[in-house]
Amino acid sequence: MTVQPIKTIGVVGTGVIGSSWTALFLSKGLKVIVTDPAPEAEAKLNEYLQKNCCAVPGTNSSCTLSSCLENVTFVKDIDPYLEQVDLIQENGPERLEIKRKLLAHLDALAPSHVVIASSSSGLPSSTFITECTNNPSRILIGHPFNPPHLVPLVEVVPHPNTAEQSTSTAMTFYKTLGKDPVLVKQETPGFIANRLQAAVCAEAYSLVSRGIVSAEDLDRTMTSGLGLRWALTGPIMTNALGGGGDFGHFMDHLGPALKGWLDDMQRHRFEFGEGERDALKGRVNGWVKTVDLGGVERERDAFLKEIVKSKQDKSV
């Protein structure tokens, strides 16, 4: 595979993820060719870029809205432009049949050396490359954590036949953006971050639905405790520190207790039945309806930007 500098990105799909990727790419001085079939997609993308293009942590102080917008081209049909792109970030709907047709189309028309990264949040790429006949070995998952222009994580997930060069190109490219890519060595549904999130959320749903804690206090348990700690040391390192620097000591000391808690969680696991879901929705929405969600989002994004910048500064 020919290795070429990545200067122009093709972005397919401009929902929340695609728009955020576009803001990130533009903030780094890349050219972006964007497409989305939705009637108001271009207007919504422009509105998003005006708010977020220069809000990326670590963005050069010379970043201006005009410098961002002059590097983006919105097109109704990206096919004639695929020869110009050096990498494609696909952000289509999380539906298998749509992914299969879309990836087959992109694979057939894009130059064979161009890496095609899908932002799929749970579908392994081996499930939707079945109709690709040009060069499926350049296709992989490049799954960001929302919003991509603020949160550094990208899960790079090759399928069993992804070329090593494609994986290396993706990992290197995301690092040049200031991202923190993680290589997932084997395909697994949901990848890593969403599986961890699902495990935590399932227990959160159980605790709230059983009336053990309110939805608001459940979230406070995370934001005032676990979340703060895990933002700096993940669960494995947190356990090692809890064992006085010895993970084995932690496992020997607390392992039996953890087993007991997990057994109890299994007995009271949230089953996701219709009645169970409806009861939980009522408990949660009773709180959510009293909250300024726009304010929550703005506060979240401001905090994310500050904490990411702080972590970047400490790593220099």
Side-chain angles (χ1 to χ4, degrees):
M1 179 182 292
T2 302
V3 180
Q4 297 182 358
I6 296 176
K7 298 180 179 179
T8 302
I9 312 297
V11 172
V12 180
T14 60
V16 173
I17 298 298
S19 294
S20 185
W21 269 126
T22 301
L24 174 65
F25 297 146
L26 292 172
S27 75
K28 302 300 180 180
L30 298 169
K31 294 185 179 299
V32 185
I33 300 173
V34 191
T35 190
D36 191 299
E40 299 180 2
E42 183 174 8
K44 289 182 178 178
L45 174 63
N46 284 335
E47 181 181 356
Y48 188 92
L49 294 178
Q50 289 176 29
K51 294 180 180 177
N52 299 291
C53 199
C54 292
V56 179
T59 298
N60 192 296
S61 59
S62 63
C63 178
T64 64
L65 179 60
S66 60
S67 66
C68 280
L69 295 182
E70 70 184 12
N71 279 331
V72 63
T73 303
F74 189 95
V75 297
K76 292 294 185 183
D77 181 7
I78 201 171
D79 291 1
Y81 300 86
L82 290 176
E83 289 287 339
Q84 302 177 28
V85 305
D86 303 310
L87 182 141
I88 296 171
Q89 189 75 43
E90 176 269 321
N91 313 282
E94 194 80 351
R95 293 167 56 187
L96 187 56
E97 287 307 312
I98 292 178
K99 292 277 192 199
R100 279 180 177 160
K101 292 179 181 178
L102 177 57
L103 269 295
H105 184 82
L106 293 172
D107 176 58
L109 297 180
S112 60
H113 69 275
V114 172
V115 170
I116 302 176
S118 172
S119 296
S120 169
S121 60
L123 293 172
S125 58
S126 62
T127 64
F128 54 74
I129 62 167
T130 52
E131 298 177 16
C132 297
T133 57
N134 181 4
N135 182 21
S137 71
R138 42 72 177 274
I139 298 172
L140 45 69
I141 300 296
H143 172 237
F145 224 53
N146 191 36
H149 72 280
L150 294 180
V151 181
L153 177 66
V154 183
E155 295 173 313
V156 175
V157 192
H159 60 76
N161 294 315
T162 297
E164 289 187 13
Q165 183 59 60
S166 296
T167 302
S168 176
T169 295
M171 292 287 289
T172 300
F173 171 64
Y174 290 131
K175 288 178 182 177
T176 66
L177 299 176
K179 305 295 280 182
D180 195 4
V182 170
L183 178 61
V184 180
K185 298 179 181 180
Q186 296 181 33
E187 287 189 320
T188 185
F191 317 132
I192 306 304
N194 277 338
R195 288 177 73 98
L196 291 172
Q197 183 169 243
V200 171
C201 285
E203 177 58 15
Y205 300 160
S206 174
L207 292 169
V208 173
S209 66
R210 292 160 58 201
I212 292 175
V213 67
S214 69
E216 183 176 7
D217 281 350
L218 185 288
D219 272 14
R220 186 175 290 116
T221 302
M222 181 63 72
T223 59
S224 295
L226 286 174
L228 290 177
R229 192 159 58 185
W230 285 350
L232 299 173
T233 58
I236 302 300
M237 181 57 70
T238 297
N239 290 168
L241 292 174
D246 184 347
F247 183 74
H249 175 70
F250 174 87
M251 289 297 290
D252 292 341
H253 182 62
L254 280 180
L258 291 174
K259 175 64 166 57
W261 302 339
L262 289 169
D263 288 344
D264 187 70
M265 291 178 198
Q266 183 66 18
R267 285 192 293 271
H268 297 286
R269 67 184 182 274
F270 191 80
E271 297 289 357
F272 292 91
E274 184 176 355
E276 208 172 12
R277 295 198 313 271
D278 288 345
L280 177 63
K281 285 186 284 187
R283 288 178 181 268
V284 173
N285 284 333
W287 167 49
V288 171
K289 289 177 181 177
T290 69
V291 175
D292 174 11
L293 297 181
V296 170
E297 187 173 42
R298 288 189 296 273
E299 184 178 358
R300 179 204 66 183
D301 289 354
F303 181 78
L304 282 173
K305 184 176 180 181
E306 288 302 316
I307 195 171
V308 170
K309 183 178 184 302
S310 177
K311 292 178 73 171
Q312 290 174 340
D313 291 343
K314 289 180 179 180
S315 65
V316 173

